[in-house]
Amino acid sequence: MKKLIFSIVFIAGILVFQSCSNDKINSIPADFATADQVAINSANVKAYINNLYTFVPRGYNRLDTDPNVDDIATGAVPGAPGKNALTAMVASATDEAVHATRNSAAEKWGTGQWSASSNNNWDTQIKIDYTGIRRTFSYTEDIAPKLPIGPGANEISTTLRDQYLGEALFIRALLNFELLKRYGGYPIVKTQLAADGNFNIPRNTYDECTKYISDLCDQAQALLPATYTTVATDFGRATKGACMALKARLLLYAASPLNNASNDITKWQAAAAAAAAIISTGTYSLYPAGTAGAGYESFFLTIAGNPEIIFSRLDPASSDIDQLNGLPSINLGYGGTCPTLDLVNDYETLDGKPFDWNNPAMAASPFTNRDPRFAKTILYNGAVWTGGTTVDTYEGGKDITGNPYPTRTGFYLRKFMGINARWIAPISNVNHSFPLFRYAEVLLNYAEAMNEAYGPDNASTFTLTARQAIALIRTRAGLTANQSVPLATTQALMRTAIRHERRIELAFEEHRHMDLRRWMTAETVLSQPVSGLKIVKTGTNTFTYTPQVVEQRVFTNKMYRYPFPQDELSRNPGLVQNPGW
């Protein structure tokens, strides 16, 4: 048995105990030798529950160039990448972006350089997920039954007992979903496994996994509060809404073409009903728009009083994300995530019409009068950023030459970035709360499911049509016309409009790579080269713009499902590899 390693993690204002081991069955945090020692002390119980949140997906720049590193064994936070110029976002493996520094994990993934080998299975989370799942069973099977219930100093109230159980069940459901969305059907583990037990566990079907996770969501929802009264210390904890949002996304994925070959309409209806249930609570709303889409920008940096957040991962305030994706001309930012011209072209004009390079007026001033989300998501040539700095990505400009990490596309990332963040003295840290579930996504999930089940303008027994749900998002964005997409008069046209809206609203939030898979369009979209923009300055405020391919991409049919890592296949003879791998 390897020595357990103990570290401290700060989550949502709480000191959280993080225990780490290799593959030890029935792990208990290192300070506590037995489950009894956890159960008899209410502070230890809370520490154990808080520990479970370290397994929640990270988002941001989480792709590491060495996926074979066992973060749990080395004592790091589960899934935490190193901080260097190669640390990349998932978006940079899609048509949303490329990574500034060559040979990143994202580039290798996007260009087809991945396999079942643990050395280049870039987005595998299976060890982390199963470890987290095992820890939830350690709580429900070993600790929860021994909790002393009562009003005493080291006792726990029935309300808190139920809350802790609900949190463990929610995290179990979330980690199971992380497996399902990557691999399709996987071996469901419903209890702790003894070290000398049976590891010949066959895969369950996709529908069986969906049912299991859905049931976990329902069980957790019944135990959890809708909100917490002590927001300062409990922000980031699971709620009823988090369970409902996970279930809504789960059922949307189950209804989608990749997992619903017969197009069973009842699956779309179930997904619509799950999203409608969240809407009907009245607990959540879109973050106020202000003017010109200000609410869209502020949402990602606002924690207190943000009604759009359903569940997010809150890490300590820092400037790491800002430096990893920052302009190289400002305190040696790493450049990081470079949005593609393909994404830029998909942002509509301010009045909700498609952008067209063949329109002379648009082509002469391509970055003005666009969907306000464009300027809130992407830094472009001429944009004003930290300290009033003007972004110069034209040939010879300070943000594309004379530094080690220039953009490869002519664009840098703005979304998630704090304009006042500084990573050299004087340090200025900002809050980053990666949105795992937010209300805008719920509306998009609802619109998609409603359109497939009932068409664009039929509300069935619910309160909104698909069109009305989309209009809420486009209105908050600051579009001045065409908020309801009036030209999308058929189910097929509305489907295209909804998919476009997801691309824009949820850009860089780790939806695109899964959306394209579940729609079964990835083979077309992710096999195309991605482009950037060569900008040449011809006068004081005049430029020419030339599209250029910046990276070839590879996506084949087998890539709709991830490969199970080879070491998992060796460990479990009952596990059958996904086709083609």
Side-chain angles (χ1 to χ4, degrees), residues 146-286:
K146 300 175 182 178
L147 295 179
I149 306 301
N154 279 321
E155 294 180 320
I156 291 177
S157 68
T158 55
T159 299
L160 200 55
R161 174 199 63 193
D162 291 347
Q163 176 194 311
Y164 287 164
L165 178 57
E167 289 178 85
L169 293 175
F170 169 76
I171 292 171
R172 185 183 300 165
L174 179 62
L175 297 180
N176 273 272
F177 176 70
E178 289 295 307
L179 294 170
L180 180 63
K181 74 180 188 182
R182 288 174 170 83
Y183 304 105
Y186 62 93
I188 297 176
V189 176
K190 295 186 177 181
T191 187
Q192 296 179 82
L193 300 177
D196 58 352
N198 174 28
F199 289 97
N200 191 351
I201 308 172
R203 295 177 64 169
N204 293 84
T205 67
Y206 194 98
D207 285 350
E208 288 170 342
C209 295
T210 298
K211 176 66 164 58
Y212 173 66
I213 300 169
S214 178
D215 288 345
L216 285 175
C217 290
D218 291 342
Q219 294 166 29
Q221 180 188 340
L223 295 165
L224 288 168
T227 58
Y228 292 91
T229 55
T230 53
V231 176
T233 56
D234 288 325
F235 180 85
R237 291 193 183 279
T239 61
K240 289 184 183 297
C243 300
M244 298 167 76
L246 173 55
K247 181 176 178 178
R249 189 189 295 175
L250 167 75
L251 296 183
L252 182 75
Y253 277 41
S256 298
L258 178 62
N259 308 308
N260 183 17
S262 65
N263 195 29
D264 182 348
I265 296 300
T266 64
K267 291 187 175 183
W268 288 111
Q269 292 170 340
I278 305 169
I279 296 169
S280 67
T281 66
T283 304
Y284 306 101
S285 60
L286 295 174

Side-chain angles (χ1 to χ4, degrees), residues 346-390:
D346 276 352
Y347 283 89
E348 297 170 330
T349 57
L350 183 60
D351 58 359
K353 297 177 182 177
F355 178 82
D356 184 3
W357 281 101
N358 293 317
N359 181 311
M362 293 184 188
S365 185
F367 308 135
T368 60
N369 294 315
R370 302 290 291 270
D371 180 331
R373 289 172 292 189
F374 166 68
K376 308 303 182 185
T377 303
I378 295 171
L379 290 174
Y380 53 89
N381 185 59
V384 177
W385 192 229
T386 302
T389 298
T390 299

